[in-house]
């Protein structure tokens, strides 16, 4: 309701305030028709009290009710179950952590598609891959529970939850949509001299989460028979998990990406697979090219649509379809609305998704099942 159109003019207020108002009456303003102000019946006052308090009190009651309804309607429903359910329910062989960061307090670089990405991925996991909703932990700035705000601590705690008590046959998913950056590597772990990072909502105070940290948190703990898929829709996300094998789509072969320092980056017998939005030196796009007026991460949207329409593709077929779609969209110049780093590049900017893994496999024989 537009309150500016429902309020009587000052002349009418003076006129009506001089009279007692009948319980449940409607007051029509003669000088500002067709504005109409419904005066609700109020059962808590006696007739003598109603006459004593008059219109002013009844209007105050009415406005408080309207404000309450407006406030309730703007509350975004949580994508998480009751927090106690995470501890009280039995374990599941399928668990996921989905993180989408808008950076509402960083207006210059605010992202518009990350929440849509999280919702899209959550629907995909539940409806197409059988993930139970109670074992999908969602971190966004829209969550009311402070434990599900995507701070550095909450992200790290959620990732620890993801891999804890994992057993043979478990399938785990980490999805991230947000800003990604690079910083100098001082450990001689990177061929290009840079560590890749993701940016929690409080990264300016708590710091970024670097690829070394992610490798320690969710790659090293993986035991035999456990599979982790990380899907990272962020700039500079190519080798975000520091996995030792990288698949080059154009050359169609695996290359070694082990750290020059010799640091151990492998799992404890499990399999880790990362699907990144772009190469380490590239930026990733947010776009409305696929859904009019609705922003999405380009990788997230294309990936989800392929997996909905073509369940269980091989990794090779999946990446061929992703690259073909991105090339078609780029040629049609649809990627006009992108993350802030897009402004540093020309209109022909493109992104190349990257597949990396803790171990090589035949990409045209192995099928993707999250």
């Amino acid at each position: 309701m537009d309150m500016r159109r429902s309020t009587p003019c000052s002349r009418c207020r003076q006129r009506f305030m001089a009279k007692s108002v009948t319980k449940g009456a409607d007051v029509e303003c003669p000088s500002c028709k067709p504005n109409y102000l419904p005066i609700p019946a109020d059962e808590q006052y006696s007739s003598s009290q109603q006459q004593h308090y008059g219109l002013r009190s009844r209007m105050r009651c009415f406005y408080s009710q309207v404000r309450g309804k407006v406030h309730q309607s703007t509350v975004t429903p949580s994508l998480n179950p009751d927090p106690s359910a995470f501890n009280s329910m039995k374990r599941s062989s399928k668990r996921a952590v989905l993180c989408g960061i808008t950076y509402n307090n960083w207006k210059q670089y605010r992202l518009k598609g990350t929440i849509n990405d999280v919702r899209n991925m959550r629907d995909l996991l539940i409806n197409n891959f059988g993930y139970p909703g109670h074992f999908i932990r969602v971190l966004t700035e829209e969550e009311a529970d402070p434990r599900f705000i995507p701070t550095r601590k909450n992200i790290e705690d959620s990732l620890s939850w993801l891999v804890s008590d994992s057993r043979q046959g478990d399938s785990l998913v980490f999805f991230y949509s947000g800003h990604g950056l690079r910083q100098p590597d001082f450990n001689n772990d990177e061929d290009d001299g840079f560590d890749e990072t993701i940016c929690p909502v409080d990264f300016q105070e708590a710091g970024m989460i670097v690829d070394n940290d992610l490798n320690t948190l969710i790659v090293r703990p993986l035991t035999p028979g456990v599979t982790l898929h990380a899907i990272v829709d962020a700039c500079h996300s190519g080798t975000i998990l520091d996995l030792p094998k990288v698949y080059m789509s154009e050359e169609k072969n695996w290359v070694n990406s082990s750290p020059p320092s010799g640091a151990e980056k492998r799992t404890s017998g499990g399999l880790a697979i990362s699907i990144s939005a772009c190469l380490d030196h590239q930026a990733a796009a947010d776009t409305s090219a696929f859904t009019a007026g609705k922003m999405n991460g380009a990788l997230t949207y294309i990936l989800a649509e392929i997996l909905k329409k073509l369940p269980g593709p091989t990794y090779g077929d999946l990446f061929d379809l992703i690259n073909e779609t991105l090339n078609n969209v780029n040629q049609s110049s649809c990627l006009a609305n992108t993350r802030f780093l897009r402004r540093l590049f020309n209109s022909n900017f493109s992104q190349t998704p990257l597949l990396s893994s803790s171990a090589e496999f035949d990409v045209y024989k192995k099928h993707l099942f999250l």
Side-chain angles (χ1 to χ4, degrees), residues 1 22 24 32 35 42 72 83 127 137 140 142 189 200 210 228 278 292 297 299 327 339 356:
M1 176 180 290
T22 305
C32 49
N35 288 348
D42 194 342
Q72 292 172 7
N127 298 325
R137 182 173 292 193
T140 73
E142 293 187 349
D189 286 344
V210 300
L228 166 77
C278 59
L299 171 73
N327 289 336
R339 292 196 169 102
S356 59

Side-chain angles (χ1 to χ4, degrees), residues 34-168:
N35 288 348
Y36 182 73
L37 177 67
I39 304 296
D42 194 342
E43 297 294 339
Q44 64 179 315
Y45 296 129
S46 66
S47 58
S48 59
Q49 286 176 319
Q50 290 170 19
Q51 292 181 1
H52 172 73
Y53 287 112
L55 179 60
R56 186 184 299 275
S57 177
R58 296 169 64 76
M59 286 179 62
R60 188 162 51 241
C61 175
F62 169 64
Y63 288 142
S64 67
Q65 292 175 3
V66 171
R67 282 195 298 268
K69 291 179 181 178
V70 171
H71 176 74
Q72 292 172 7
S73 66
T74 58
V75 174
T76 302
S78 174
L79 295 178
N80 289 293
D82 185 332
S84 62
F86 286 119
N87 299 321
S88 63
M89 295 187 66
K90 295 180 179 179
R91 70 179 304 278
S92 171
S93 61
K94 293 188 174 185
R95 300 187 299 280
V97 170
L98 314 181
C99 181
I101 311 180
T102 304
Y103 308 93
N104 289 321
N105 294 328
W106 199 26
K107 293 183 179 180
Q108 185 179 0
Y109 304 120
R110 186 174 182 272
L111 299 178
K112 298 180 180 179
T114 54
I115 304 299
N116 293 331
D117 289 344
V118 164
R119 292 193 178 110
N120 205 0
M121 283 302 302
R122 185 175 183 272
D123 291 343
L124 176 72
L125 292 177
I126 293 174
N127 298 325
N128 295 81
F129 290 96
Y131 277 67
H134 281 80
F135 288 93
I136 299 177
R137 182 173 292 193
V138 176
L139 289 83
T140 73
E141 289 149 277
E142 293 187 349
E143 292 294 323
D145 191 317
R147 287 172 290 185
F148 300 135
I149 300 298
T151 63
R152 176 172 181 166
K153 181 181 185 305
N154 288 346
I155 293 174
E156 291 176 342
D157 288 348
S158 294
L159 293 179
S160 296
W161 166 82
L162 179 66
V163 299
S164 64
D165 193 31
S166 55
R167 306 172 191 175
Q168 185 171 1

Side-chain angles (χ1 to χ4, degrees), residues 77-354:
S78 174
L79 295 178
N80 289 293
D82 185 332
S84 62
F86 286 119
N87 299 321
S88 63
M89 295 187 66
K90 295 180 179 179
R91 70 179 304 278
S92 171
S93 61
K94 293 188 174 185
R95 300 187 299 280
V97 170
L98 314 181
C99 181
I101 311 180
T102 304
Y103 308 93
N104 289 321
N105 294 328
W106 199 26
K107 293 183 179 180
Q108 185 179 0
Y109 304 120
R110 186 174 182 272
L111 299 178
K112 298 180 180 179
T114 54
I115 304 299
N116 293 331
D117 289 344
V118 164
R119 292 193 178 110
N120 205 0
M121 283 302 302
R122 185 175 183 272
D123 291 343
L124 176 72
L125 292 177
I126 293 174
N127 298 325
N128 295 81
F129 290 96
Y131 277 67
H134 281 80
F135 288 93
I136 299 177
R137 182 173 292 193
V138 176
L139 289 83
T140 73
E141 289 149 277
E142 293 187 349
E143 292 294 323
D145 191 317
R147 287 172 290 185
F148 300 135
I149 300 298
T151 63
R152 176 172 181 166
K153 181 181 185 305
N154 288 346
I155 293 174
E156 291 176 342
D157 288 348
S158 294
L159 293 179
S160 296
W161 166 82
L162 179 66
V163 299
S164 64
D165 193 31
S166 55
R167 306 172 191 175
Q168 185 171 1
D170 284 1
S171 293
L172 314 176
V173 171
F174 168 51
F175 172 77
Y176 173 85
S177 179
H179 281 307
L181 295 173
R182 308 174 86 192
Q183 66 181 34
D185 164 42
F186 299 106
N187 300 318
N188 196 30
D189 286 344
E190 305 282 350
D191 284 329
D192 60 3
F194 290 95
D195 281 321
E196 287 67 51
T197 74
I198 60 174
C199 301
V201 70
D202 62 342
F203 78 95
Q204 291 175 301
E205 297 79 29
M208 295 178 284
I209 301 177
V210 300
D211 46 14
N212 301 324
D213 298 332
L214 290 173
N215 185 279
T216 300
L217 281 167
I218 57 176
V219 175
R220 296 294 300 277
L222 299 177
T223 54
V226 179
T227 300
L228 166 77
H229 283 90
I231 302 168
V232 183
D233 200 341
C235 299
H236 309 297
S237 55
T239 58
I240 192 63
L241 291 192
D242 266 358
L243 298 177
K245 301 296 179 180
V246 172
Y247 183 74
M248 310 304 294
S249 294
E250 291 189 5
E251 294 83 356
K252 298 190 182 302
N253 67 317
W254 291 93
V255 298
N256 183 45
S257 185
S258 298
S261 66
E264 185 57 61
K265 298 288 186 177
R266 298 183 182 275
T267 69
S268 297
L271 177 63
I273 297 173
S274 175
I275 299 174
S276 303
C278 59
L279 304 181
D280 287 340
H281 65 277
Q282 290 181 328
D286 266 350
T287 179
S288 59
F290 307 106
T291 53
K294 185 177 180 180
M295 298 292 285
N296 298 93
L299 171 73
T300 303
Y301 185 86
I302 296 171
L303 176 70
E305 287 300 300
I306 292 173
L307 293 180
K308 290 174 184 176
K309 298 174 182 177
L310 183 65
T314 66
Y315 288 85
D317 289 337
L318 173 67
F319 269 76
D320 288 345
L321 288 169
I322 292 174
N323 287 320
E324 180 182 347
T325 304
L326 283 173
N327 289 336
N328 290 338
V329 172
N330 266 320
Q331 290 173 9
S332 63
S333 301
C334 289
L335 287 178
N337 297 316
T338 64
R339 292 196 169 102
F340 77 99
L341 287 180
R342 174 67 184 274
R343 71 185 61 172
L344 301 179
F345 299 86
N346 60 34
S347 59
N348 294 321
F349 162 76
S350 63
Q351 64 188 79
T352 303
L354 190 68

